[in-house]
């Protein structure tokens, strides 16, 4: 097409089209240097150094916030931007000055769709009011639907630096000085899940950054203590819900002679695929907690995850002490280097098995007090963690060496704390070169099977099925000369469709609710949102088709 024709097609001046053609190489370079999956728009050709800096800054923000579900201060981001800019322009001549102004930060956030950078001085405390409102709503759902402790679950992810023995130890000090050392790669993400009763813990989901055939070689997947997955970002994969959670919980409830209906409570982290999980299974209701409330009410954050990490660290130290005791020539550094992902999988399984039922049950006291059997037992959770910390310190003293023989309680607490390791500028260069953490579709190796996305089961979709059945029934009655045969098919099909009819009724009722019902929405602004005037509210107009359920067996005959 000619430049004038293209201009008319896109409603822009012909001179603009000619300029774009002239600057083709620069534009392509600009887009190539940016992070294409997260950058929202490239409207001008920008300096190559700025593009490289912003790409690395975006990676840095992802590394520092994704695993902790947190935010970083805008002042810290601006200082980091200046540091990275100095790194990417090192050795260059005629470098343009970069001040990392507030205006630049606002434009950067728009370009890359960054939402987890807060303004300086902005409150980051947990929302106590929203937590209390959610607790009231949760209790109303439990009472209305008749859920019992065995049917209510909480799941949450946590980062595990599986070779962390303490930053003051000589192991960490020496390893950090080694060429090519990247501490943040000795890392995996775990998804833990348990019910309010505390008598059932789902097998942990373990997501690693890279494929490791040796980790699972010779092991039956079904007999491993974890569900093993991998992707380049060590982020949660969306197939956990159907492939792991549903089969395990269904089998457990059958063994307890309980109805297969589940209430799953999650935080609103993006890794939980909030939209996909809504109505993903007819027997599972998913509630999302408001932002900034997990530290107040999420059961796994009330001590379960910390107790798990305490057990894991104790297992890691115990195995080290056993190895040193068995062979006097073995050093702690030898053992530390020998720890593999296969060892880590076994340690994770042992640590999760050691979490007691009472520990899990007592950690529900802040969100569902009625399910807790012994309120005084929560002090036992804290005491149990303290005992594990003391055990770790005692083992460290026996291992001896710098950082071990004088290990303090705060050293162990630092190991157990949720944290992210800040990647260096060199790490960011390598990640940018490899594309790690940039594209959302880099979820793993092509040879690793990918589960299809979960299509939400909406009231509109069920209503569409209703209409299709109604059309089929009408055609059969008109075309089939044997009326009894068509009516019998109608009765049987209507009976088979009854669960969906009930689900449609529930969805219609849920769509009419306002106020607290909005807790089902995964994204809040810290306040209760106003009811939407579109979306699901439109589904409330859907009417059930008038079908006759089959009569009793005697009348049917």
């Amino acid at each position: 097409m000619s430049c004038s024709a293209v201009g008319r097609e896109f409603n822009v001046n012909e001179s603009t089209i000619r300029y774009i053609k002239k600057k083709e190489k620069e534009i392509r370079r600009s887009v190539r240097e940016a992070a294409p999956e997260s950058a929202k728009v490239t409207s001008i050709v920008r300096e190559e150094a700025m593009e490289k800096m912003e790409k690395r800054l975006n990676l840095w923000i992802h590394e520092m916030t994704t695993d902790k579900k947190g935010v970083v201060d805008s002042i810290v981001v601006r200082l980091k931007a200046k540091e990275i800019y100095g790194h990417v322009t090192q050795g260059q001549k005629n470098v343009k000055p970069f001040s990392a102004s507030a205006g630049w930060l606002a434009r950067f956030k728009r370009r890359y769709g960054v939402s987890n950078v807060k303004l300086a001085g902005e409150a980051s405390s947990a929302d106590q009011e929203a937590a209390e409102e959610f607790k009231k709503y949760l209790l109303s759902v439990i009472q209305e639907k008749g859920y019992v402790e065995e049917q209510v679950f909480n799941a949450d992810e946590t980062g595990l630096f599986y070779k962390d023995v303490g930053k003051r130890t000589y192991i960490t000090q020496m390893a950090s000085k080694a060429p090519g050392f990247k501490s943040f790669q000795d890392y995996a993400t775990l998804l833990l899940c348990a019910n309010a009763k505390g008598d059932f813990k789902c097998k942990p989901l373990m997501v690693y950054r890279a494929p490791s055939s040796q980790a699972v070689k010779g092991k039956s997947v079904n007999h491993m203590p974890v569900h093993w997955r991998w992707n380049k970002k060590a982020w949660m994969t969306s197939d956990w819900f159907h492939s792991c959670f549903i089969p395990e919980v269904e089998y457990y409830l059958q063994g307890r002679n309980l109805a297969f209906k589940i209430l799953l409570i999650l935080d609103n982290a993006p890794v939980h695929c909030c939209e996909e999980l809504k109505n993903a299974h007819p027997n599972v209701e998913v509630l999302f907690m408001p932002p900034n409330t997990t530290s107040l009410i999420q059961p796994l954050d009330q001590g379960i995850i910390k107790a798990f990490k305490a057990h894991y660290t104790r297992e890691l130290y115990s195995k080290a002490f056993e190895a040193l005791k068995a062979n006097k020539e073995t050093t702690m550094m030898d053992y530390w280097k020998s720890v593999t992902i296969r060892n880590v999988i076994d340690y994770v399984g042992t640590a999760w098995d050691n979490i007691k039922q009472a520990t899990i049950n007592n950690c529900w006291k802040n969100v569902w007090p009625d399910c807790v059997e012994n309120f005084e037992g929560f002090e036992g959770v804290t005491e149990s963690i303290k005992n594990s910390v003391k055990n770790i310190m005692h083992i460290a003293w026996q291992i001896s060496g710098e950082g071990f023989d004088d290990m303090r309680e705060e050293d162990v607490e630092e190991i157990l704390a949720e944290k992210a390791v800040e990647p260096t500028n060199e790490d960011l260069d390598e990640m940018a070169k490899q594309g790690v953490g940039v594209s959302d579709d880099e979820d793993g190796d092509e040879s690793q099977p990918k589960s299809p996305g979960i299509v939400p089961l909406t009231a509109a979709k069920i209503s569409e099925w209703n209409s299709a059945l109604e059309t089929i029934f009408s055609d059969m009655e008109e075309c089939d000369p044997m009326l009894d045969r068509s009516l019998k098919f109608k009765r049987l099909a209507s009976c088979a469709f009854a669960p969906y009819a009930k689900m449609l009724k529930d969805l219609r009722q849920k769509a009419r609710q306002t106020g607290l019902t909005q807790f089902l929405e995964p994204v809040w602004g810290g306040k209760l949102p106003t009811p939407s005037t579109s979306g699901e509210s439109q589904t409330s107009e859907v009417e059930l088709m008038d079908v006759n359920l089959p009569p009793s067996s005697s009348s049917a005959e």
Side-chain angles (χ1 to χ4, degrees):
M1 298 173 65
S2 65
C3 291
S4 59
V6 175
R8 288 192 298 271
E9 177 75 18
F10 293 97
N11 196 27
V12 295
N13 293 331
E14 180 181 348
S15 59
T16 301
I17 303 301
R18 294 186 182 278
Y19 175 81
I20 292 174
K21 287 189 63 179
K22 182 179 179 181
K23 295 290 184 179
E24 177 183 357
K25 290 184 178 180
E26 291 87 345
I27 293 173
R28 290 185 179 278
R29 189 267 308 158
S30 179
V31 173
R32 184 173 61 252
E33 291 296 336
E37 293 295 331
S38 55
K40 299 302 180 184
V41 62
T42 300
S43 56
I44 60 174
V45 180
R46 309 176 66 238
E47 291 292 328
E48 183 176 0
M50 287 293 295
E51 295 287 2
K52 288 183 176 180
M53 179 275 293
E54 290 189 354
K55 180 176 183 178
R56 285 155 178 76
L57 182 64
N58 186 42
L59 290 169
W60 179 83
I61 292 173
H62 272 286
E63 287 293 326
M64 297 303 295
T65 61
T66 300
D67 299 320
K68 299 189 297 180
K69 305 186 290 292
V71 295
V72 288
D73 190 275
S74 60
I75 294 178
V76 176
V77 172
R78 291 165 65 182
L79 291 173
K80 187 64 181 179
K82 294 180 70 173
E83 177 190 330
I84 297 176
Y85 185 77
H87 171 71
V88 298
T89 58
Q90 188 175 7
Q92 297 182 9
K93 298 180 179 180
N94 301 323
V95 177
K96 291 184 177 181
F98 171 62
S99 61
S101 65
W104 163 82
L105 178 60
R107 293 188 293 273
F108 166 77
K109 291 170 65 176
R110 286 197 300 270
R111 279 192 292 271
Y112 286 80
V114 176
S115 59
N116 46 4
V117 175
K118 67 182 180 68
L119 299 175
E122 183 179 352
S124 59
S125 60
D127 192 338
Q128 182 72 47
E129 183 179 350
E132 291 299 323
E133 292 296 316
F134 178 78
K135 286 170 59 177
K136 294 177 183 177
Y137 176 66
L138 174 63
L139 294 178
S140 68
V141 171
I142 291 173
Q143 293 173 1
E144 179 185 350
K145 302 295 179 63
Y147 291 111
V148 296
E149 292 91 337
E150 291 87 347
Q151 297 169 326
V152 182
F153 287 78
N154 176 228
D156 191 27
E157 73 283 344
T158 183
L160 179 67
F161 293 86
Y162 53 81
K163 296 178 76 170
D164 188 0
V165 292
K167 64 181 181 181
R168 286 202 314 114
T169 63
Y170 76 93
I171 298 295
T172 303
Q173 297 293 329
M174 292 177 62
S176 61
K177 297 176 182 178
F181 172 74
K182 298 179 179 63
S183 61
F184 69 93
Q185 289 190 351
D186 293 331
Y187 174 86
T189 304
L190 293 173
L191 183 67
L192 305 177
C193 181
N195 66 357
K197 184 74 172 179
D199 67 337
F200 181 73
K201 297 171 291 189
C202 295
K203 184 187 293 187
L205 173 68
M206 184 172 180
V207 185
Y208 188 53
R209 284 181 176 271
S212 181
S213 58
Q214 296 299 321
V216 295
K217 186 177 181 180
K219 279 196 171 187
S220 170
V221 176
N222 294 330
H223 291 90
M224 288 176 62
V226 301
H227 294 292
W228 171 263
R229 299 288 189 276
W230 79 270
N231 63 46
K232 292 182 179 179
K233 293 173 281 190
W235 287 3
M236 289 291 104
T237 52
S238 59
D239 69 339
W240 169 81
F241 182 81
H242 279 291
S243 302
C244 309
F245 177 70
I246 292 297
E248 289 185 39
V249 174
E250 184 175 11
Y251 181 79
Y252 158 75
L253 292 176
Q254 287 178 352
R256 297 294 187 277
N257 293 320
L258 292 171
F260 177 40
K261 62 176 183 177
I262 302 166
L263 179 62
L264 177 61
I265 303 172
L266 302 171
D267 59 34
N268 68 334
V271 293
H272 287 151
C273 310
C274 299
E275 291 298 328
E276 289 188 356
L277 290 181
K278 284 185 176 181
N279 306 318
H281 195 283
N283 298 94
V284 181
E285 182 174 3
V286 183
L287 297 186
F288 296 98
M289 290 181 290
N292 302 323
T293 60
T294 57
S295 62
L296 296 174
I297 57 177
Q298 175 149 260
L300 280 160
D301 283 343
Q302 303 308 305
I304 299 174
I305 290 178
K306 188 173 183 179
F308 161 77
K309 289 188 174 182
H311 285 299
Y312 175 86
T313 305
R314 186 175 63 184
E315 185 72 10
L316 181 67
Y317 268 68
S318 297
K319 295 298 183 182
F321 180 70
E322 291 175 7
L324 298 180
K325 189 177 180 180
N327 187 349
K328 300 298 183 180
E329 297 182 359
T330 301
T331 65
M332 183 62 185
M333 179 62 79
D334 294 333
Y335 167 76
W336 185 82
K337 290 180 178 180
S338 70
V339 174
T340 65
I341 284 295
R342 185 159 185 168
N343 300 133
V344 173
I345 291 174
D346 293 333
Y347 299 167
V348 166
T350 301
W352 188 232
D353 288 341
N354 286 336
I355 303 295
K356 297 180 180 179
Q357 177 179 347
T359 299
I360 298 174
N361 178 249
N362 283 308
C363 287
W364 284 77
K365 75 180 187 71
N366 287 351
V367 68
W368 188 12
D370 294 342
C371 80
V372 179
E373 297 178 0
N374 180 14
F375 272 91
E376 297 179 357
F378 187 73
E379 297 180 0
V381 175
T382 305
E383 191 64 28
S384 175
I385 295 175
K386 287 184 178 180
N387 290 335
S388 295
V389 170
K390 291 179 180 178
N391 288 337
I392 295 169
M393 293 168 56
H394 181 70
I395 299 172
W397 297 339
Q398 297 182 71
I399 292 175
S400 72
E402 183 181 350
F404 289 102
D405 49 17
D406 61 343
M407 181 164 286
R408 303 186 297 262
E409 185 174 336
E410 52 265 33
D411 295 327
V412 181
E413 289 288 346
E414 187 271 334
I415 297 175
L416 306 184
E418 290 285 336
K419 58 183 178 295
V421 173
E422 180 177 2
T424 64
N425 289 328
E426 290 73 19
D427 294 331
L428 293 174
D429 289 340
E430 183 176 341
M431 293 164 67
K433 183 178 180 180
Q434 296 178 353
V436 177
V438 176
S439 173
D440 289 338
D441 57 8
E442 292 179 345
D443 286 335
D445 182 52
E446 293 180 359
S447 62
Q448 179 170 296
K450 297 181 180 180
S451 58
I454 304 170
V455 180
L457 187 56
T458 62
K461 175 60 68 174
I462 300 177
S463 179
E464 181 182 332
W465 297 342
N466 267 333
S467 300
L469 278 177
E470 193 173 32
T471 302
I472 293 174
F473 295 156
S474 179
D475 289 346
M476 281 187 167
E477 291 178 8
E478 291 181 6
C479 301
D480 192 342
M482 299 181 62
L483 182 61
D484 291 345
R485 182 167 58 190
S486 63
L487 291 178
K488 182 177 181 181
F489 174 83
K490 181 178 180 178
R491 287 195 300 269
L492 293 175
S494 299
C495 182
F497 194 78
Y500 293 102
K502 182 180 182 301
M503 186 176 183
L504 178 56
K505 182 179 179 181
D506 292 340
L507 289 173
R508 291 174 55 202
Q509 181 180 0
K510 185 183 299 183
R512 294 192 187 100
Q513 294 174 341
T514 57
L516 289 179
T517 307
Q518 299 302 317
F519 275 110
L520 290 174
E521 295 298 331
V523 179
W524 283 9
K527 299 180 180 179
L528 290 176
T530 55
S532 174
T533 57
S534 62
E536 282 200 357
S537 60
Q538 297 176 357
T539 64
S540 61
E541 301 298 324
V542 178
E543 295 293 335
L544 280 167
M545 69 179 184
D546 185 16
V547 294
N548 296 320
L549 292 178
S552 61
S553 57
S554 58
S555 59
E557 290 297 320

